[in-house]
Structure formats: C-alpha cells, structure tokens
Amino acid sequence: MRQLEAVIFDLDGVITDSAHFHYLAWKKLAADIDIEIDEAFNETLKGISRMDSLDLILAKGGRENDFTLEQKEELAAKKNAHYVELLKDLSPADILPGIKPLLDAIRAANLKIALASVSKNAPMVLAALDLTDSFDYLADAAKITHSKPDPEIFLVAAAGLGVEPANAVGIEDAQAGVDAIKSAGMKAIGVGTGLVGTDELVSDTSKLTLAMIQKVFQI
Ligand code: BG6
Ligand code: MG
C-alpha cells in the first residue's frame, strides 16, 4: 500500500529566489556575446543544467557553432562567477515564505526530506540559508547525467532516502521539474503560474502546508 514517506524539494525558485539570480547571471553573460534573453525565454532554462542552458542560449542567438567546447566551458564558468557574486549576501532572510515552518512540520511528522536540484551550487546555497540540517539527503548534481525533465535527479533523491518514488511528493517551480517529478512516478506540486500537469498548483510558497501535501498524496 502507498504511504507518504518523503517530500522532495527543488531548490531554485522553491526554497529561495535564486532562480532570479540565475536569470540575471545568464542575461549578463548572453549580452557579452550579443545575445539578448528575456524572462519569457528564461522560463525554458529553469531546471536545466548549466551547459544545457548555455546551449539553449547559443541556439537562441544562432551562435551554436561559433564556440569550441573549451570556449563554452569558459562561458559557463563566467556565468557561474556572475551567479556566485549575486549570491554573496544570501542569508536565512532569503528563505521563501512558509518554507522553514513547512520543513519543520514535515520533519515533526517523521517524514523524510530530500533536495533534487541540478545546481552544483546547491550545497553552498543551502548552507548560506542555514538549511543544510533540515534535509536528510541532497542528490548530487555533479553525478546526474540527465537534467530535468528527465526524472533522474528525483529518482536519485528517493533512492538516497530509501523510499519508493510512489511514496514521495515533489515540489517544483519549473515546467521541466514538474515533468521530471511526474516521470519519476511521484505526485507533483507546482509553485507559480502556467505550470501544466501538476497534481496541485499554488501561486507562491506561503500556500504550501503539510496538510496540503498529505491531501495531494491521496489523489
Ligand atoms: C537549476 C536552475 O536549479 O540549476 C537552472 O533552475 C540552473 O537555472 C541549474 O542552470 C544549474 O545550476 P548551476 O548552479 O549548477 O549552474
Ligand atoms: Mg526551480
């Protein structure tokens, strides 16, 4: 019988608003190589790995054949330097509304908590938010071979917790992430607008509660 055992969270845009910093960092990098990106295009980058995001940006600017692999690695490193610079003042005050009490309530209910972020900066971001100890398991983005919408990172997170995917609920702000959760065989809660295929969609993180997660699991 299915039983709710774990909640698996995305990071960027769910735990903190770092999704916006990824956007600003990519926008700056893209401008350096004469490619303009806007927030609508940025939606297609959410949940996508660093190198895959760069490939999408180069394709958008018609520059997919203009750089060697080495040059692309330099561009990706430059974007990451912009991103890390934007994160330098990150503190627990930047945890999105409702998230800390939600993590505490999930733990108090003896359910497990994992992080499924394809960001290699995830451990540093969680540490800056003082949330590392709130998680039982962090899926290692460096070991993931397919970024979202592939289910790999959610399956790795469930396996790391020792729970069946069907006994977990995933929470995401990106369409690629919602698709990854559903492909992993979990119930999906979306945060934001315009996401399709969720089992429940809330406008912002303050609307997330343990009771709601339990209800979604029963759907
Ligand atoms: C995801 C973000 O969480 O991590 C993407 O939604 C980002 O925008 C990806 O590109 C990879 O992050 P990083 O920190 O490894 O460049
Ligand atoms: Mg996200």
Side-chain angles (χ1 to χ4, degrees), residues 68-178:
T68 63
L69 181 59
E70 201 186 350
Q71 287 171 323
K72 289 204 311 186
E73 278 164 359
E74 278 168 24
L75 290 171
K78 211 166 152 191
K79 179 269 174 178
N80 194 53
H82 294 329
Y83 179 63
V84 170
E85 171 68 20
L86 288 166
L87 289 180
K88 71 179 189 315
D89 296 327
L90 199 71
S91 79
D94 298 301
I95 300 171
L96 281 168
I99 292 294
K100 183 66 169 93
L102 177 64
L103 291 168
D104 292 345
I106 296 169
R107 178 156 286 171
N110 283 322
L111 302 175
K112 289 180 177 163
I113 304 174
L115 190 78
S117 170
V118 299
S119 171
K120 292 176 180 156
N121 291 294
M124 180 264 282
V125 171
L126 276 193
L129 298 173
D130 203 14
L131 283 181
T132 310
D133 292 345
S134 294
F135 287 79
D136 299 298
Y137 185 76
L138 310 182
D140 185 351
K143 294 194 181 133
I144 297 297
T145 51
H146 297 96
S147 67
K148 301 166 188 176
D150 191 282
E152 184 179 0
I153 194 142
F154 281 95
L155 294 174
V156 166
L161 292 175
V163 309
E164 290 297 322
N167 290 336
V169 171
I171 305 182
E172 262 288 351
D173 70 315
Q175 188 61 53
V178 170

Side-chain angles (χ1 to χ4, degrees), residues 2 169 187-189 199-200 211-219:
R2 283 174 71 242
V169 171
K187 297 290 181 194
I189 299 176
D199 295 293
E200 178 72 62
M212 194 197 112
I213 293 169
Q214 287 165 327
K215 198 167 148 216
V216 168
F217 182 76
Q218 298 305 334
I219 293 172

Side-chain angles (χ1 to χ4, degrees), residues 10-12 19 22-23 26 42 45-51 53 76 79-80 83 116-122 141 148 173-174:
D10 173 45
L11 174 70
D12 296 315
H22 278 295
Y23 168 57
W26 279 127
N42 185 58
L45 303 182
K46 288 185 177 175
I48 309 298
S49 72
R50 199 179 304 170
M51 280 309 264
S53 298
K79 179 269 174 178
N80 194 53
Y83 179 63
S117 170
V118 299
S119 171
K120 292 176 180 156
N121 291 294
K148 301 166 188 176
D173 70 315

